[in-house]
């Protein structure tokens, strides 16, 4: 079955910031989408990758569009507030129904991520173009498949602890920075029927998403986050009659989660 | 230091439902508050227990009142929607700052609990007055101290899986019901600087909170959830200068979490 | 790449116990192996399933045989003590290197499982042929794909809490029994580079492994537990020279975990 | 109730290595024991701290001695192999029964720690006297109470990932090193009825345990790890008769875990 991916890009820095235009002349989303296409093709995975922008968010992340999206990657920063609340709620609902969600870097502050975490998602930061090293701390996780230990990103914004997230269900990567800080940079969360992977490398001023090792992580994450073959509906609240599970489920109580 | 506890009671069923009036003539909150007082006194813990009601929620859970609350227990059901959004946001913020939070039974649907979980918190239910048995599944957890294995509650509403919560940071109790269902009935979550313990026994129609074994759990939970001796502020987002942690912290970056 | 599976069967009850002979005339291992073959074929997974018995354990679980095994399922009960210590250590080592491991039912007491857990693995039990219902408590786990909620096993041995295992990395199933007990019946553990799934249904006296729903779980588990494409070696201990990760790794420090 | 602590010291480097003799002329164990005494006294905790050495291990960690020990801290390195297997098994058994266990630094390779983990406990290392910074990543954990963020240890041996342990039940600290590596340096595990806290700072060549901030962590950890008020016995395996939990427990099935 085709893996249907949407790459959400805020695409604002690319319009106003010469430094970012130089790094991503056609937008960060274009580089991410192309990376997913080529890596997934190399992995033999049948995938369709489309782009969704803040400028067309009412259409590109409409109810209908999300219903046909298996995994959504999300990059945003300066315009988190411009994402309509109802779009954020829609994304959250789709994660509950099973859609994979991959918030990237400054999307630690994206509305749907914060709503799914229930914490402030605060952190330390410093944009000094420091080296980041991304270390694998989970020996058997598919998201770390084929990933160098460590990935070395020569220039990056520092993100540091205390990162105010719930304890991840699985911690895959921890980063260190030249300035001495550490960060839980690759973290798995499960919410409802959906899988979430937050991955922090990727400031707009540095060509992080052009790196094959980072692209490897993104492709692994998207594959891992695809929904299981299940009804695309949230877990229901139901008044279940006694012995409902012995009957032919007359009340419609979900028998396959 | 005195442990300052607030027992929030919706106190609506007690006003309108004869069955509940019979079980809790002076309100469920009164029984919970008294149970905490006596059990904590027996434990040698210096505690103050106050009651907060939906009818006085603007005062009893005001910014000032919450600032002086270490642990908040919460029972609500038919009037979740009457809790003002700003009160719920205040509670969530205080949990982030370190306040303990103990949602009880139907508070799986309370606004602040849902906001802290990021999931639907849906579940199965059936009110048939069935026997519930509460089994300890964590051999070393302070919340299970002195608790029978199992607690037997002769009559209770059934709550059943799939319970749509994030995987608990620690699972303490699992219940079974006479009808055959199971439920993760005692679950620990940490959010920001605050500790949360969801405990499901306690439907309004049965005298569950009058049971000494259930009261033992409540007293254990409140003691466990008290804030650590830390600044009562959420984790901050900060632009941290290089080597900030070597200096005398001129930017105010928190040095003790 | 072919998924190479070994189905270990103790095959002792089948020799001495008429009740078991009636349920599994050709051995439990034969039924499990055939179930994996047919379900994985239906899933389009290229798999080879071989049988390993206690009687041929020196060969069937030799160093060489294990080196060519991706996932090992294990059923044992009355003869745990007859498994040579060096075979158990070999299995543990292979799990550390990446081999998947699926201990079934009474294998909660198998030597390699106990060594991987570090706990007593004690539990309650009662063999009364009671109904077991297996409930999914993880909405997005691949092992629960296509599995009824609940699975109803009409006759089974009861296994009950307190089950003395480490808190699972992921809890997938919880069972209830007609007698009122509960059990964490489907539990994920990661150790080294290997994935472990303990699944409790399957007493020898009842035809549990003949059930398609139980077979579905086994096939899901085996697929999930297959090693990632990584060097089949445990995580190493290494004296790492300063800046080893910038160089071409002269000391042989593993660069891909 | 008095908190009974045993500080196990291998005490071998102190005998043969001039550098260590200079740092710890009366042995590392003396410094750790004195630190616990003074910090716990300041906390108002009634504690008795005794020293146990490899040279007297048959007595100091005898069955009787361990039975009267609530929490055991453990430092060992060059003589792990000299710890008798039966002493290690005794320690593991006592942890299952409820004793707290605090392995320090190179005790990642101590026999009882490895047996409790079920993994290789391998890691990267380099002894270059580099700066280590210990960052808190858990906002509400009692072990991080009053601990600077970060603790800066000017000179330490580097311990780096991939650290081959099970995913900790709670991750409290992550360290970075001047050479760029990271390490999960403060990790909580629960096994049976016992609590375990592994804490990595503390190479013998540097006066790490003389630091008040490190001593603060040790005192917090010992307090946290004390056994709950429970029967000091492992979880039992029991054939539980139907309805055992309704009766007065004639079979001796444990009713309080």
């Amino acid at each position: 079955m085709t893996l249907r991916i949407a790459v959400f890009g805020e695409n604002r820095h690319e319009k106003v910031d010469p430094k970012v235009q130089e790094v991503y002349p056609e937008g960060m989303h274009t580089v991410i989408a192309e990376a997913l296409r080529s890596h997934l093709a190399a992995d033999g995975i049948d995938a369709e990758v489309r782009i969704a922008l803040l400028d067309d968010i009412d259409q590109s992340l409409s109810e209908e569009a999300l219903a046909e999206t298996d995994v959504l990657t999300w990059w945003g920063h300066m315009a988190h507030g411009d994402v309509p609340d109802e779009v954020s709620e829609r994304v959250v609902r789709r994660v509950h129904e099973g859609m994979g969600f991959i918030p990237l870097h400054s999307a630690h502050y994206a509305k749907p991520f914060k709503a799914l975490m229930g914490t402030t998602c605060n952190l330390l930061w410093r944009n000094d173009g420091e080296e980041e090293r991304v270390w694998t701390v989970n020996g058997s996780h598919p998201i770390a498949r084929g990933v160098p230990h460590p990935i070395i990103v020569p220039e990056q914004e520092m993100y540091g602890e205390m990162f105010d997230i719930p304890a991840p269900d699985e911690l895959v990567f921890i980063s260190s920075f030249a300035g001495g800080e550490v960060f839980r940079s690759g973290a798995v969360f499960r919410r409802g029927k959906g899988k979430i992977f937050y991955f922090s490398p990727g400031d707009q001023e540095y060509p992080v998403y052009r790196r094959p090792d980072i692209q490897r992580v993104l492709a692994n994450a998207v594959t891992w986050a695809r929904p299981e073959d299940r009804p695309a509906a949230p877990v229901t609240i139901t008044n279940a009659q006694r012995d409902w599970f012995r009957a032919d489920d007359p009340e419609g109580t979900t028998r396959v989660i």
Side-chain angles (χ1 to χ4, degrees), chain A:
Chain A
M1 236 170 45
T2 304
L3 173 54
R4 300 163 303 174
I5 301 164
V7 172
F8 175 74
E10 181 186 275
N11 198 32
R12 289 284 162 91
H13 288 282
E14 291 95 325
K15 288 180 177 171
V16 300
D17 184 339
K19 188 164 181 189
V20 179
Q21 283 164 345
E22 196 176 315
V23 177
Y24 293 116
E26 297 175 57
M28 212 182 302
H29 48 277
T30 310
V31 174
I32 293 173
E34 193 45 49
L36 291 176
R37 279 188 201 105
S38 64
H39 280 263
L40 294 174
D43 289 351
I45 291 168
D46 174 24
E48 279 174 15
V49 183
R50 69 183 178 89
I51 284 168
L53 299 178
L54 181 53
D55 284 337
D56 58 29
I57 196 166
D58 288 332
Q59 287 73 50
S60 61
L61 300 185
S62 69
E63 201 70 68
E64 297 69 30
L66 283 173
E68 301 191 340
T69 302
D70 294 320
V71 181
L72 172 66
T73 74
W74 188 289
W75 198 101
H77 182 220
M78 62 185 281
H80 288 315
D82 294 351
V83 172
D85 285 349
E86 50 282 21
V87 173
S88 174
E89 286 157 20
R90 212 136 77 194
V91 168
V92 167
R93 214 160 48 230
R94 270 294 289 153
V95 172
H96 293 166
E97 290 175 3
M99 184 180 72
F101 183 51
I102 318 284
L104 297 170
H105 190 61
S106 42
H108 74 95
Y109 256 18
K111 284 182 183 179
F113 183 63
K114 291 182 72 172
L116 288 158
M117 294 296 102
T119 56
T120 67
C121 299
N122 287 340
L123 47 73
L124 286 191
W125 60 277
R126 174 179 60 245
N127 190 1
D128 267 5
E130 290 163 70
E131 182 178 280
E132 173 174 2
R133 313 96 183 182
V134 185
W135 302 89
T136 299
V137 297
N138 185 316
S140 67
H141 208 283
I143 296 180
R145 181 172 58 88
V147 174
H149 179 73
I151 300 173
I152 302 179
V153 183
E155 289 186 305
Q156 242 287 69
E157 184 182 26
M158 184 280 289
Y159 272 16
E161 299 284 346
M162 173 70 203
F163 183 22
D164 188 20
I165 47 171
D169 292 321
E170 300 171 288
L171 185 58
V172 183
F173 301 118
I174 296 174
S175 288
S176 68
F177 293 85
E181 285 92 351
V182 298
F183 195 66
R184 287 169 291 173
S185 51
V188 159
F189 305 91
R190 295 168 178 269
R191 293 292 182 271
K193 298 182 183 173
K195 299 170 203 156
I196 302 168
F197 179 66
Y198 172 78
F199 188 54
S200 67
D203 187 69
Q204 68 276 2
E205 299 193 0
Y206 315 102
V208 178
Y209 297 123
R210 296 193 176 281
R211 303 181 53 86
D213 42 18
I214 295 291
Q215 294 178 354
R216 179 72 268 157
V217 174
L218 297 181
N220 288 349
V222 163
T223 306
W224 165 84
R226 72 186 306 169
E228 301 303 319
D229 184 19
R230 289 203 181 90
V235 171
T236 45
I237 185 156
T238 317
N239 182 350
Q241 298 309 310
R242 191 56 102 132
D243 288 321
W244 63 274
F245 53 82
R246 303 188 195 289
D248 197 14
D249 209 3
E251 303 299 314
T253 305
T254 307
R255 292 297 301 273
V256 174
I257 290 289

